[in-house]
Amino acid sequence: MVIRHGTRYPNAKDITKINTRLKELKLEILLRHRLGKGELSDEQIKKIENWTWDLDLEKEKFLTLEGQDEMIILAERTRKRFPGAVKEKYNNQTILFRYTATQRAQQSARYFANGLFDKKEAQDVLFSPAAKVDTVLRFYKHCDKWQKQVKKNPLTYTEQKLYGISKEMNDTIKSVTKRLGLKNLLSLDDVNLMYKACGFETSWNKHFTSPWCYPFDVRSVQTMEYYQDLKYYWMDGYGHDLTYRQACVSIKNMFENFSSKGGPSASFLFTHSGTILKILTHLELFKPRSHLRGDKNVPDRTWRASDIDCFGANLALVLYRCKGVDYVLALHQERVVKLPMCEKELCPLKTLKEYFHKSIYECDYTDMCSLKKDDL
């Protein structure tokens, strides 16, 4: 089971920008409201007036309390769903926990263990030491070719930039500016910052909606969501074949676990958005009919990061033996999904091994990710 860490705080850059720019905009919104401008209700304005941002930079990307709860509850459901693989008594020979060298992944693993076992058992859980270079859990961080040709290549973000100057985006910027009653048209950066604050603050508390969600109506939320999806699609999805080919390291690891005799009956791997998306893409899940483009929104797309890659997103591959034949069942976000190369949801292991033969037996990560003379 590959699990993205639970809900976290923003990175240092976003913490600083929200603390400075949104505080400036807050004062401007309140001033314009007193002049009778804008479309927000008095109650909404009151909540913007009471809004504060006191997040310490030292907590950047740390797991939140909500993230802790997500992991505990996810683990409780997992234990109930797979009583054959996850016993009530912890045994370090049958359960493997592994996480990246980050606070959010480490803490996610620990809180997940608290939900999987009772308090006394959870204290005895052994975690595999986090490696600074981990090509199973975070292969893309050390893939030099992908870093240069995809992540740091401005062309990767062409479609997102194109959508950023589209009529749909201009209409959204005008709509947000009008709802807030501001005199000058907001920039895309400002609107995007509000959208981020709306998402982060709401995710930290399931009983609370961030006041920075008020400027958006349904249509403008859909526009901002597509703007974000274009970035993740081209950086972490189907846009470049190296992006998902490098995930063969994780796929190979999974098949090796299935084939090993006497290994753990359950492996829980705590990782990040980039890993989840690339593995999903390698498995050919949520593939759109054609590449997502910046000329217009695609409302019925299957590639939607808020659905497939939210905080706590997870993918489980479960090995079953039925009448002497091995089968694999895939669950994404705890729901059964049919892998595209399989006829049925319960897919013969032999079928998957044949389909992913290259991923298992010809996964040369070093060769794939090394920058050669022609790449420089």
Side-chain angles (χ1 to χ4, degrees):
M1 188 172 184
V2 186
I3 304 164
R4 185 186 178 194
H5 57 78
T7 298
R8 63 162 172 82
Y9 291 120
N11 60 33
K13 186 179 171 185
D14 284 337
I15 290 174
T16 304
K17 282 167 79 175
I18 290 170
N19 190 42
T20 52
R21 182 59 185 147
L22 289 195
K23 281 184 177 177
E24 289 171 5
L25 284 169
K26 168 187 161 177
L27 296 175
E28 199 177 333
I29 292 162
L30 297 177
L31 181 64
R32 296 292 292 172
H33 181 74
R34 290 190 195 106
L35 297 172
K37 307 295 182 182
E39 299 172 359
L40 301 187
S41 67
D42 289 343
E43 186 185 351
Q44 288 173 326
I45 287 293
K46 189 74 183 164
K47 286 184 177 173
I48 287 177
E49 189 174 6
N50 293 334
W51 174 80
T52 56
W53 183 265
D54 304 312
L55 198 54
D56 196 323
L57 273 177
E58 289 177 8
K59 285 190 174 179
E60 72 151 338
K61 295 189 176 182
F62 274 25
L63 194 70
T64 64
L65 290 172
E66 182 66 26
Q68 295 170 11
D69 287 345
E70 286 163 359
M71 292 295 111
I72 291 169
I73 296 164
L74 173 61
E76 288 171 350
R77 292 194 299 264
T78 302
R79 188 186 65 222
K80 286 176 186 170
R81 190 172 286 121
F82 303 114
V86 184
K87 309 292 185 189
E88 284 189 26
K89 286 276 183 191
Y90 167 69
N91 181 335
N92 67 6
Q93 300 302 306
T94 59
I95 304 283
L96 172 74
F97 289 95
R98 194 168 161 183
Y99 52 76
T100 62
T102 60
Q103 189 270 359
R104 56 197 181 280
Q106 179 201 54
Q107 289 301 302
S108 291
R110 292 187 183 279
Y111 282 97
F112 188 90
N114 289 345
L116 215 55
F117 306 107
D118 65 32
K119 199 172 182 180
K120 186 178 178 302
E121 293 284 324
Q123 288 175 342
D124 296 330
V125 169
L126 295 176
F127 298 93
S128 300
K132 194 136 191 175
V133 176
D134 192 325
T135 55
V136 171
L137 295 188
R138 227 176 177 190
F139 41 84
Y140 54 97
K141 281 281 178 183
H142 315 287
C143 185
D144 294 339
K145 189 186 280 189
W146 179 81
Q147 289 284 335
K148 181 178 176 62
Q149 293 186 351
V150 181
K151 188 176 182 183
K152 293 174 183 173
N153 181 355
L155 293 176
T156 298
Y157 310 97
T158 299
E159 299 300 330
Q160 189 194 32
K161 285 176 182 170
L162 189 63
Y163 193 64
I165 56 170
S166 67
K167 184 181 183 303
E168 286 174 19
M169 184 59 79
N170 286 333
D171 288 347
T172 289
I173 292 170
K174 286 175 187 173
S175 167
V176 170
T177 304
K178 186 171 175 241
R179 280 172 75 83
L180 294 174
L182 298 173
K183 191 175 181 181
N184 299 317
L185 196 65
L186 287 161
S187 66
L188 173 54
D189 283 349
D190 283 340
V191 174
N192 198 34
L193 194 60
M194 289 179 200
Y195 182 72
K196 282 184 180 180
C198 161
F200 272 116
E201 290 192 321
T202 304
S203 72
W204 301 337
N205 187 338
K206 54 181 166 280
H207 306 298
F208 169 81
T209 300
S210 166
W212 292 108
C213 298
Y214 299 152
F216 300 95
D217 56 17
V218 173
R219 196 166 182 177
S220 55
V221 165
Q222 289 169 346
T223 300
M224 296 309 298
E225 183 186 38
Y226 188 64
Y227 180 71
Q228 297 293 339
D229 281 352
L230 283 168
K231 173 187 171 184
Y232 293 115
Y233 177 83
W234 288 94
M235 184 174 72
D236 291 319
Y238 290 97
H240 304 271
D241 67 341
L242 177 60
T243 298
Y244 51 87
R245 274 198 305 121
Q246 60 179 315
C248 65
V249 187
S250 295
I251 302 298
K252 180 183 177 182
N253 177 260
M254 176 198 75
F255 282 109
E256 285 173 351
N257 282 345
F258 281 163
S259 303
S260 69
K261 288 182 170 63
S265 59
S267 299
F268 298 104
L269 313 177
F270 296 85
T271 182
H272 305 267
S273 165
T275 307
I276 293 277
L277 287 174
K278 292 174 187 70
I279 291 175
L280 290 175
T281 307
H282 196 100
L283 294 172
E284 299 177 18
L285 289 164
F286 311 110
K287 188 174 186 176
R289 289 185 294 272
S290 58
H291 281 316
L292 300 185
R293 299 291 182 188
D295 54 349
K296 63 175 181 178
N297 199 331
V298 184
D300 62 345
R301 66 191 180 279
T302 48
W303 180 277
R304 195 180 292 271
S306 55
D307 286 339
I308 67 177
D309 182 45
C310 56
F311 290 130
N314 53 86
L315 174 71
L317 294 151
V318 191
L319 185 66
Y320 287 88
R321 180 159 291 160
C322 314
K323 297 178 182 176
V325 181
D326 288 344
Y327 294 87
V328 173
L329 185 72
L331 294 96
H332 173 254
Q333 308 292 52
E334 306 175 78
R335 294 183 180 89
V336 173
V337 289
K338 186 182 86 65
L339 294 171
M341 65 291 306
C342 301
E343 287 183 13
K344 295 179 179 176
E345 291 168 341
L346 202 58
C347 186
L349 178 61
K350 187 181 174 207
T351 301
L352 289 173
K353 278 188 166 179
E354 286 171 359
Y355 192 85
F356 290 108
H357 185 275
K358 275 192 167 184
S359 300
I360 303 167
Y361 301 106
E362 298 174 33
C363 179
D364 190 336
Y365 176 80
T366 305
D367 182 64
M368 190 188 308
C369 289
S370 297
L371 278 169
K372 301 175 179 68
K373 260 188 182 178
D374 294 345
D375 302 320
L376 295 170

